[in-house]
Amino acid sequence: MGWCALCAADSGEWSRRQFLLAMAQAVLATSLLPESARAFTLYDESGDTTIGREADPEILKRFGYYEAPDLQNYVAQVGQRVVAASDTRFNFQFKVVDHTSINAMALPGGFVYVTRGILAEMNDEAQLAGILGHEATHVNSRHGAKLMTKAMATQIATVLGVGAAAAAGSAGAANAVGMISNHLANYMLLGYGREYELEADEVGLRHARRAGYDPRRMVSFLRWMRRNDLFRGQRLYHGFDATHPDTATRIAKADTMATLLVAEPGALEVRTNEFRAHLDGLRYGEAKDQRRIRTYVVRPGDTLGSIAKNEMRDEGRRFELASLNDLRDNAELTPGTRLKLVVSGGGPTMDLKLTPQ
């Protein structure tokens, strides 16, 4: 259906009363539809773009824009490579925000964000591609619009308030967009629910694979997040929030999908060194702690123990080094491989990490 609630207010074709009546009827009709038929949304794709554009400055104000042009450009290039493998109708923007949380988020209309916190925990470009593919699927599948329609179906008073504001004119329409954006912010941070998260996993993996990336790396990152979630007793990444599918089930489904995709013809890229090189100098943790990621290139004869001893002055910290790079503490290292270290202004130190299983 092509009718757009956000556009109707400026059309001049309906009276305020007609507009409000149509909104109420639309909500009632939506609430009576069977689940499988609820493709109807209260606003069209142009409304998605309007909402995303209006909310984008607020997201950047809340989380902060990370001032690192090279890293910003790199993330955007990976994101554009993934969405080019999809059937998107949106113009995407990918941005790194200056926040410690391990999260990635998407606004309607093609606005996708990754925190510096989640970048610090990734270990290759294929993992980044998987996360960006997941978030882009929320945009392309218009999960925000669909969830807003469902939510409004049970909140007719809210819908009428939005309709009244939109019918009042351009200023009122801006307020209406703001109200919708506030609701969408919750979905963006907490996730889109079981059905849509599973869809985003599956479709996102397909698009990352089509773009040439190894989908198994995304599954590896999901497993790492699950371990960290259990270890720290806190929820990481909105895809693992309580509104989402059971994590073990979700990972199992993603693993099955990745296995099927790997069997398809075509090269698979991981690009570990390229990804870690772009993290060099990335702020790590709270800004007040003045810690950053430094990359180290493995030399012949190096072990995690020797690197910990020479670079961190403590051979026992090989466990921390292993965790940061998603390796076992006795892993054999290949010369030329880049590793991540966390250093501070007070000297080379490592932040305590969960040792991988």
Side-chain angles (χ1 to χ4, degrees), residues 11-24:
S11 66
E13 297 176 1
W14 289 1
S15 69
R16 173 175 171 174
R17 180 177 180 181
Q18 289 172 317
F19 179 75
L20 296 179
L21 179 60
M23 289 286 283

Side-chain angles (χ1 to χ4, degrees), residues 69-99:
D70 289 343
L71 182 61
Q72 292 283 357
N73 290 336
Y74 171 67
V75 170
Q77 288 170 7
V78 175
Q80 295 298 343
R81 175 176 168 177
V82 173
V83 297
S86 71
D87 55 354
T88 185
R89 296 176 296 279
F90 295 100
N91 293 319
F92 274 81
Q93 296 184 33
F94 296 89
K95 302 177 183 180
V96 180
V97 291
D98 191 5
H99 202 271

Side-chain angles (χ1 to χ4, degrees), residues 186-200:
N186 291 329
Y187 294 130
M188 177 175 146
L189 293 172
L190 301 178
Y192 289 87
R194 179 184 180 86
E195 175 187 356
Y196 293 153
E197 290 301 328
L198 287 173
E199 179 185 348

Side-chain angles (χ1 to χ4, degrees), residues 112-154:
V112 176
Y113 312 86
V114 292
T115 63
R116 61 175 174 83
I118 198 171
L119 288 176
E121 305 298 350
M122 292 180 187
N123 272 290
D124 54 63
E125 193 173 299
Q127 292 181 342
L128 174 61
I131 291 292
L132 296 181
H134 177 102
E135 298 303 327
T137 300
H138 285 313
V139 175
N140 289 330
S141 298
R142 304 193 65 224
H143 289 159
K146 293 173 183 177
L147 282 174
M148 282 303 302
T149 299
K150 291 179 181 179
M152 287 179 176
T154 60

Side-chain angles (χ1 to χ4, degrees), residues 250-327:
R250 178 181 174 186
I251 293 174
K253 287 180 177 292
D255 188 38
T256 300
M257 174 58 63
T259 300
L260 294 174
L261 292 172
V262 166
E264 296 180 358
L268 294 172
E269 289 190 280
V270 175
R271 295 175 62 85
T272 301
N273 273 359
E274 292 84 352
F275 177 80
R276 289 175 179 168
H278 280 91
L279 297 190
D280 196 53
L282 178 70
R283 187 178 299 121
Y284 186 88
E286 299 294 337
K288 62 181 176 60
D289 295 332
Q290 298 185 336
R291 292 178 295 174
R292 293 184 182 273
I293 286 181
R294 177 167 68 86
T295 58
Y296 173 87
V297 180
V298 175
R299 304 185 185 97
D302 273 346
T303 65
L304 289 175
S306 68
I307 295 173
K309 179 179 180 180
N310 296 330
E311 301 296 321
M312 300 182 287
R313 309 295 186 265
D314 184 353
E315 185 176 357
R317 306 190 82 169
R318 68 182 185 276
F319 299 104
E320 301 166 19
L321 181 59
S323 177
L324 185 64
N325 292 278
D326 197 19
L327 298 170

